[in-house]
Amino acid sequence: METLRPLALLVAALFYANSASLERWPELEEAKEYLTKYGYLKNGTDLLDASHLRDVIEALRVFQRVSDVPITGEVDPATLEAMRAPRCGNEDPFNKKTLKYRILSRWRKKSLTYRLYNYTPDMTRAAVQSAIKAAFKYWSDVTPLTFREVTYTRADIRILFHRNDNLCDIPFDGRGGVLAHAKEPEYGVVHFDEAEFWTEGRYYGTNLRIVAAHEIGHALGLGHSQYSQAVMGARYNGYRTNFRLHHDDVKGIQFLYGSKPPKGLESANHLPLPGDPTSGPEQVPDPCTARLDAVMLGPWKKTFAFSGEHVWTVSDQGHNKPLRIHTLWKELPGNLSAVVYSQRTKKAYFLKGRTLWKYSDFVLERGYPKQMTRLPADIDAALYLERNKKLVFIKGSQFWQWDELQYNNLTYYPKPLSMLFSGVPASPDAALTWTNGKVFFFKGDDYWRLNDSLSVDRGYPQSTATRWMQC
């Protein structure tokens, strides 16, 4: 009953005409309308009916989870911001237990045609054709499907730009909001809102290629993905120069049509790193199950995960193939205690036992490795703290802070971990400050995200394998 309390109290207050609660009523109605429109709530849900409160809170929690906002079950500012973001007009019919992608249907053939019935005036005709062709290629690169543009004959997939008119049964809403929509096989319909400002290769406007890749996914039979960074995520995340299919997108489309021989999922998603992985007889860890030794946001702004003798990168598309640590940092051993990269000095520090290695990118600095005398051996985790530009070293339930650019008086350390971070576990496996400025702690398969007050956000811990490695 505790989860019902915040919203139940709000509704009860509305009955007594509390003015502060009445001010929030439009936001509650906005959220209810959104959740109903996109399939989270049934039509007829009444906010003043106490029997519906559990459905409303559950719908909010599901939406928050797939939108990567704190899971509160309440209509808070972060939730409203996510609801107001540009998105696809199709519903989000997630399975509330697993949140896996939903298969709509499939084509009974693998050679498909498409036709552009008109063009947006925002781009040249050739630019539109190129963007649409590139959008289809994302899917043909990982499946046996082939796509061919036709000009005059009827096509399998029919593409049209139009405004808020009577051309289809799902009206558009002007610039922003709904960007496009599509129907599943074998309807073959993809529509774009002409009220948007369509662009390619620009950070302004709405990228036609990326939105088209999403809508083509619907036209091929995929529903929305639970992963907000996936191509099939419901919301539009803006232009990305390195845009590619997400692990969940590839898994879904290959479930429908199979993989493209000889290239499969791994070759489609692999991000190259310097050097080649050495595939000796040793056991290569599975990023979905491996226990992490350390994690750092390192050179190239890439996230590196360390386990045993191996390291791999983690991106919006999930994890990449592990390779031996010495492929990148040739002097380093495996089974590291902790790793930290300073965004202030662009130096990386690797700790094992009492030994410390210091690198500039992938080059070991002169005089290293060294033996540590002022920090204990076998540090559990380390991270760079953006707010004071210091390195934080953690062991058990204690921490030390280190300023790289001046002498450090460590006589006042160690200090209790709770003095710096609230709600995090003792003896973490790893910790880092990520690209969004948030601090993350990892232990086992759990991870915790901290807010600006360095307290754990509501809704955590969550699964590292599911949300970071996207297994």
Side-chain angles (χ1 to χ4, degrees):
M1 294 298 294
E2 264 316 294
T3 57
L4 298 181
R5 193 167 182 269
L7 189 53
L9 289 175
L10 176 59
V11 173
L14 286 171
F15 281 115
Y16 293 100
N18 180 283
S19 59
S21 298
L22 286 171
E23 289 178 1
R24 290 195 58 203
W25 185 253
E27 295 178 349
L28 289 169
E29 282 287 354
E30 177 186 349
K32 189 199 80 168
E33 182 181 346
Y34 183 100
L35 295 170
T36 303
K37 179 179 180 180
Y38 293 111
Y40 296 87
L41 280 176
K42 296 178 181 178
N43 279 313
T45 300
D46 187 351
L47 289 175
L48 293 177
D49 186 340
S51 65
H52 292 169
L53 286 179
R54 189 177 299 276
D55 293 335
V56 174
I57 292 173
E58 175 64 20
L60 280 167
R61 291 176 67 86
V62 172
F63 172 77
Q64 289 164 340
R65 179 174 175 183
V66 301
S67 302
D68 286 337
V69 299
I71 303 172
T72 63
E74 299 177 34
V75 183
D76 48 38
T79 301
L80 286 171
E81 182 181 358
M83 289 180 172
R84 292 166 181 167
R87 59 160 291 152
C88 170
N90 291 33
E91 286 190 355
D92 304 341
F94 295 109
N95 177 309
K96 291 179 174 57
K97 291 184 178 179
T98 66
L99 299 183
K100 289 185 177 180
Y101 55 83
R102 178 172 178 250
I103 300 299
L104 304 175
S105 57
R106 66 188 299 274
W107 292 88
R108 290 170 289 181
K109 57 183 179 179
K110 295 185 178 179
S111 293
L112 300 171
T113 58
Y114 67 93
R115 178 177 171 184
L116 282 156
Y117 280 80
N118 63 359
Y119 296 82
T120 174
D122 303 331
M123 301 166 61
T124 66
R125 181 178 178 127
V128 171
Q129 289 177 316
S130 176
I132 298 298
K133 182 178 180 181
F136 276 104
K137 188 174 184 298
Y138 287 116
W139 301 108
S140 62
D141 278 348
V142 295
T143 66
L145 294 173
T146 61
F147 305 103
R148 178 173 58 90
E149 183 179 3
V150 296
T151 307
Y152 300 108
T153 60
R154 179 178 175 83
D156 297 309
I157 299 175
R158 299 172 299 284
I159 301 171
L160 186 72
F161 292 83
H162 71 90
R163 293 181 180 270
N164 185 7
D165 47 37
N166 297 319
L167 285 179
C168 63
D169 56 358
I170 308 177
F172 285 125
D173 54 5
R175 183 166 294 187
V178 174
L179 305 178
H181 52 236
K183 289 189 175 182
E184 70 273 13
E186 291 183 348
Y187 287 100
V189 173
V190 173
H191 289 175
F192 300 97
D193 188 354
E194 185 48 74
E196 307 300 333
F197 180 52
W198 297 103
T199 60
E200 175 54 274
R202 301 289 186 270
Y203 287 97
Y204 56 81
T206 304
N207 186 270
L208 178 59
R209 169 173 48 89
I210 293 175
V211 175
H214 175 100
E215 301 305 332
I216 290 167
H218 286 317
L220 296 177
L222 291 178
H224 283 151
S225 169
Q226 64 162 310
Y227 298 105
S228 62
Q229 294 299 318
V231 175
M232 295 310 299
R235 290 186 296 157
Y236 172 65
N237 292 308
Y239 172 66
R240 286 171 279 171
T241 55
N242 63 341
F243 176 80
R244 65 184 67 216
L245 293 187
H246 185 279
H247 174 79
D248 197 51
D249 302 312
V250 178
K251 181 170 63 173
I253 202 67
Q254 291 185 342
F255 177 83
L256 283 173
Y257 301 103
S259 59
K260 182 176 183 177
K263 293 182 180 180
L265 176 63
E266 179 181 303
S267 60
N269 274 350
H270 180 62
L271 294 178
L273 290 168
D276 294 318
T278 57
S279 55
E282 78 281 357
Q283 183 68 37
V284 177
D286 180 355
C288 295
T289 58
R291 181 104 180 192
L292 295 176
D293 294 331
V295 180
M296 76 169 178
L297 179 67
W300 322 322
K301 287 284 186 179
K302 288 189 177 293
T303 305
F304 294 85
F306 298 80
S307 181
E309 303 287 338
H310 290 77
V311 61
W312 60 89
T313 55
V314 183
S315 70
D316 291 340
Q317 289 73 43
H319 65 81
N320 290 299
K321 187 174 181 179
L323 52 102
R324 295 292 295 271
I325 292 172
H326 63 64
T327 305
L328 298 178
W329 297 277
K330 65 179 183 179
E331 299 88 356
L332 274 183
N335 300 296
L336 295 163
S337 301
V339 172
V340 58
Y341 182 82
S342 171
Q343 300 296 332
R344 184 185 189 186
T345 62
K346 308 304 179 187
K347 306 295 184 183
Y349 300 85
F350 300 84
L351 294 82
K352 182 175 181 178
R354 284 197 172 275
T355 306
L356 171 68
W357 291 259
K358 182 180 178 182
Y359 281 79
S360 294
D361 289 333
F362 303 98
V363 179
L364 183 66
E365 293 213 340
R366 180 177 296 180
Y368 287 86
K370 292 181 177 180
Q371 293 298 300
M372 297 187 301
T373 58
R374 302 174 67 195
L375 290 176
D378 300 315
I379 291 291
D380 289 323
L383 72 148
Y384 172 78
L385 195 58
E386 181 62 41
R387 63 169 52 186
N388 61 11
K389 312 298 182 186
K390 292 184 179 181
L391 306 181
V392 178
F393 300 92
I394 300 165
K395 183 169 184 177
S397 58
Q398 299 177 319
F399 78 94
W400 294 253
Q401 287 197 88
W402 185 275
D403 189 319
E404 299 169 89
L405 302 184
Q406 64 182 27
Y407 177 78
N408 292 267
N409 184 355
L410 297 182
T411 58
Y412 299 104
Y413 291 94
K415 294 180 180 181
L417 189 60
S418 58
M419 288 184 61
L420 186 58
F421 305 109
S422 177
V424 300
S427 304
D429 294 333
L432 85 163
T433 301
W434 202 47
T435 55
N436 58 7
K438 299 286 187 180
V439 173
F440 292 83
F441 275 65
F442 300 82
K443 187 169 184 177
D445 184 47
D446 291 329
Y447 77 92
W448 293 257
R449 187 180 72 187
L450 279 62
N451 56 34
D452 292 340
S453 299
L454 298 184
S455 298
V456 172
D457 275 329
R458 294 181 65 176
Y460 288 86
Q462 295 190 30
S463 168
T464 300
T466 301
R467 308 301 293 182
W468 279 78
M469 304 306 167
Q470 297 175 6
C471 301

